[in-house]
């Protein structure tokens, strides 16, 4: 019911803003996929006697619909997943994701409004988040709505503002529900045809919904820019200070014996980072590398933490119908609202091969290695998994009026 209200708000706001909906072009497209997987340590457990292997299948339907006029664009992206575990039915789940994005273009300004709904479980959301609640398969529902605005001050200067409201609810009292308000303001200057500089100010206010005993706020400032070194090389870099303060007590579960700890009011000073490099080596090969440091609540526990992450993605079109890719991620998560030794290192590497069997049918086979370490206990865990996914691209439907 809540996501319906959010979507109606976004749709009505853009329709009221648009004056040429009768001339819209409509489209619908999507795909169906079936995944088969095997993981030799599904629990992601550090103890060998707790490690268990699992077979699973996942059926997915992706549906994208939209409409556009000379001024107005509306896009709704939806995904429906059903995961089945033959050996343990308690792990089965049906997940849904909806993302609504609307923009309205005026002479010098662009107005936007977005809404999202995610209904999943700790099994699907906790792998990179904490690595502690994967097997519990606890239900999570996330709601988000937020407006944005961009204004062209001059041919070279523009400003933008955004706001967001996020609410996460849980089906269990063991994990917190929470809400978060965030927003920001930015300025962009086009120095040359290849170079932009930007300055942006952002912040958020977070509080638990289940107990109401924890509130955290952040303000941050970043400066940086983007530069195209050539048609093949592009890079962006943003960095700046941030200040975070906590008001209230903190409850959380650790990696040893799941006990609770309480932290007094505290504050923390650090920095934010967002860096990306893209390289396009001809039409067949692409490479993307990124590094980031930000502060956000855990999507599973709601505990505020600082995450430093490094990512890499490589793709190469080996043959006309065969492509290979490699993705990797390494992250360091440190809890800000608790003892300083609550650190988790996480890494994953996944190479894959994709075959285009027909114009509409694709087969992708991949391998994934995961590793994590909790500094509090000193224990490490790793797992190996293989995946085979068949994807069928549905015909695109379009109409205009």
């Amino acid at each position: 019911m809540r996501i319906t209200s959010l979507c109606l708000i976004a749709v009505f706001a853009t329709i009221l803003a648009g004056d040429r909906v009768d001339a819209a072009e409509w489209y619908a497209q999507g795909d169906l996929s079936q995944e088969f997987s095997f993981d030799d340590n599904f629990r992601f457990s550090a103890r060998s006697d707790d490690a268990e292997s699992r077979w699973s299948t996942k059926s997915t339907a992706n549906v994208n619909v939209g409409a556009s006029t000379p001024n107005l664009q509306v896009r709704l992206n939806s995904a429906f997943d059903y995961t089945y575990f033959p050996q343990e039915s308690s792990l089965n789940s049906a997940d849904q994701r909806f993302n609504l994005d609307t923009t309205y273009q005026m002479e010098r300004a662009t107005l936007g409004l977005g809404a999202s709904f995610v209904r999943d479980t700790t099994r699907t959301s906790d792998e990179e988040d904490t690595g502690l609640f994967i097997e519990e398969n606890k239900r999570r529902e996330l709601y988000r709505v937020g407006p944005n605005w961009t204004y062209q001050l001059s041919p070279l200067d523009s400003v933008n503002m955004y706001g967001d409201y996020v609410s996460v609810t849980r089906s269990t009292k063991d994990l917190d529900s929470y809400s978060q308000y965030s927003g920001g303001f930015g300025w962009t200057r086009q120095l040359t045809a290849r170079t932009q500089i930007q300055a942006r100010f952002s912040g958020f206010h977070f509080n638990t919904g289940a107990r109401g005993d924890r509130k955290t706020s952040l303000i941050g400032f970043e400066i940086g820019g983007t530069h195209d070194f050539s048609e093949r090389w592009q890079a962006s870099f943003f960095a700046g200070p941030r200040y975070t303060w906590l008001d209230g007590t903190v409850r959380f579960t650790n990696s040893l014996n799941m006990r609770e700890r309480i932290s007094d009011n505290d504050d923390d000073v650090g920095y934010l980072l967002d860096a990306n490099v893209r390289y396009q080596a001809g039409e067949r090969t692409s490479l993307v590398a990124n590094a980031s440091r930000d502060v956000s609540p855990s999507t599973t526990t709601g505990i505020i933490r600082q995450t430093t992450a490094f990512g890499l993605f490589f793709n190469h079109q080996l043959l006309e119908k065969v492509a290979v890719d490699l993705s990797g991620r390494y992250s360091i998560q440190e809890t800000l609202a608790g003892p300083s030794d609550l650190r988790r290192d996480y890494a994953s590497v996944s190479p894959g091969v994709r075959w285009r069997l027909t114009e509409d049918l694709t087969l992708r086979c991949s391998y994934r290695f995961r590793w994590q370490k909790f500094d509090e206990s000193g224990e490490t865990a790793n797992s190996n998994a293989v995946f085979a996914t068949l994807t069928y691209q549905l015909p695109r439907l379009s109409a205009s009026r």
Side-chain angles (χ1 to χ4, degrees):
M1 187 69 181
R2 191 182 306 182
I3 186 58
T4 303
S5 301
L6 295 180
C7 290
L8 287 176
I9 291 173
V11 171
F12 288 156
T14 51
I15 288 179
L16 289 174
D19 58 354
R20 297 188 60 184
V21 178
D22 57 334
E25 295 184 358
W26 302 82
Y27 72 89
Q29 61 184 20
D31 60 70
L32 303 174
S33 67
Q34 182 65 52
E35 177 187 274
F36 303 89
S37 65
F38 173 80
D39 194 325
D40 70 352
N41 185 7
F42 174 81
R43 298 173 185 266
F44 214 6
S45 173
R47 299 174 177 87
S48 58
D49 54 343
D50 289 337
E52 293 186 10
S53 60
R54 287 287 186 274
W55 289 95
S56 65
T57 67
K58 183 169 72 172
S59 305
T60 301
N62 292 300
V63 181
N64 304 318
V65 297
S68 62
T69 73
N71 300 100
L72 176 67
Q73 288 190 340
V74 181
R75 295 175 294 273
L76 176 63
N77 302 323
S78 310
F80 306 87
D81 297 332
Y82 177 71
T83 307
Y84 171 69
F85 288 81
Q87 299 167 283
E88 193 167 349
S89 60
S90 63
L91 297 175
N92 299 345
S93 69
D95 302 339
Q96 302 87 40
R97 299 182 299 277
F98 299 91
N99 289 290
L100 179 67
D101 181 44
T102 61
T103 57
Y104 182 71
Q105 183 68 49
M106 295 183 288
E107 183 178 357
R108 300 180 67 178
T110 302
L111 299 176
L113 190 63
S116 301
F117 170 67
V118 178
R119 184 176 182 268
D120 60 7
T121 71
T122 53
R123 181 185 55 76
T124 51
S125 65
D126 195 46
E127 179 181 300
E128 293 187 7
D129 193 32
T130 69
L132 296 175
F133 305 95
I134 295 175
E135 189 185 23
E136 296 185 24
N137 207 31
K138 300 297 185 180
R139 179 63 67 185
R140 177 189 74 147
E141 292 186 355
L142 181 149
Y143 306 85
R144 183 193 69 85
V145 63
N148 60 81
W149 171 77
T150 302
Y151 185 77
Q152 196 73 34
L153 294 173
S154 71
L156 300 179
D157 297 275
S158 63
V159 293
N160 69 281
M161 297 178 64
Y162 75 91
D164 264 316
Y165 170 73
V166 176
S167 174
V168 172
T169 60
R170 291 287 183 183
S171 62
T172 173
K173 295 181 180 180
D174 297 332
L175 299 173
D176 271 341
S177 299
Y178 62 88
S179 61
Q180 178 177 304
Y181 300 87
S182 59
F185 174 83
W187 166 77
T188 301
R189 169 109 179 152
Q190 190 78 37
L191 292 182
T192 69
R194 292 186 173 185
T195 306
Q196 284 185 348
I197 58 170
Q198 298 180 35
R200 53 199 193 194
F201 175 84
S202 61
F204 69 73
H205 178 73
F206 161 92
N207 63 279
T208 55
R211 302 178 177 88
D213 59 354
R214 184 170 72 255
K215 298 179 181 178
T216 305
S217 300
L218 174 144
I219 55 173
F221 176 77
E222 296 172 87
I223 189 168
T226 63
H227 180 69
D228 296 344
F229 293 95
S230 67
E231 293 182 356
R232 297 184 176 184
W233 281 97
Q234 296 87 37
S236 65
F237 181 85
F238 299 91
R242 59 98 181 145
Y243 175 67
T244 309
W245 65 98
L246 169 73
D247 179 18
T249 58
V250 173
R251 296 182 62 185
F252 62 91
T253 332
N254 67 18
S255 61
L256 286 176
N257 55 11
M258 315 302 282
R259 67 180 181 271
E260 287 188 349
R261 292 192 181 187
I262 298 179
S263 174
D264 296 327
N265 296 359
D266 201 1
D267 56 11
D268 187 82
V269 178
Y271 67 90
L272 302 173
L273 173 68
D274 183 10
N276 288 273
V277 175
R278 296 176 179 270
Y279 177 62
Q280 188 73 36
E283 297 181 356
R284 292 191 170 189
T285 306
S286 61
L287 176 69
V288 178
N290 56 69
S292 64
R293 170 174 280 197
D294 62 4
V295 173
S296 62
S298 160
T299 60
T300 300
T301 64
I303 299 298
I304 298 295
R305 64 188 183 184
Q306 176 177 268
T307 301
T308 304
F310 306 90
L312 177 69
F313 180 78
F314 169 80
N315 183 79
H316 177 67
Q317 192 70 36
L318 192 63
L319 301 170
E320 181 182 357
K321 296 184 178 182
V322 180
V324 295
D325 58 66
L326 173 69
S327 60
R329 175 180 170 84
Y330 178 74
S331 64
I332 301 169
Q333 300 167 346
E334 300 168 290
T335 302
L336 294 184
S340 59
D341 61 349
L342 287 183
R343 165 174 163 165
R344 176 188 182 236
D345 291 46
Y346 171 83
S348 67
V349 179
S350 180
V353 182
R354 185 178 68 255
W355 289 273
R356 192 171 51 132
L357 302 177
T358 68
E359 194 67 28
D360 301 317
L361 187 64
T362 302
L363 171 64
R364 185 176 189 274
C365 297
S366 62
Y367 162 79
R368 183 192 65 190
F369 172 78
R370 293 182 299 164
W371 171 89
Q372 69 176 358
K373 176 183 178 182
F374 295 97
D375 270 14
E376 184 182 16
S377 63
E379 294 182 328
T380 62
N382 60 73
S383 77
N384 301 274
V386 291
F387 305 86
T389 306
L390 271 173
T391 302
Y392 176 69
Q393 190 72 36
L394 296 172
R396 178 185 171 94
L397 304 176
S398 61
S400 58
R401 49 175 297 182

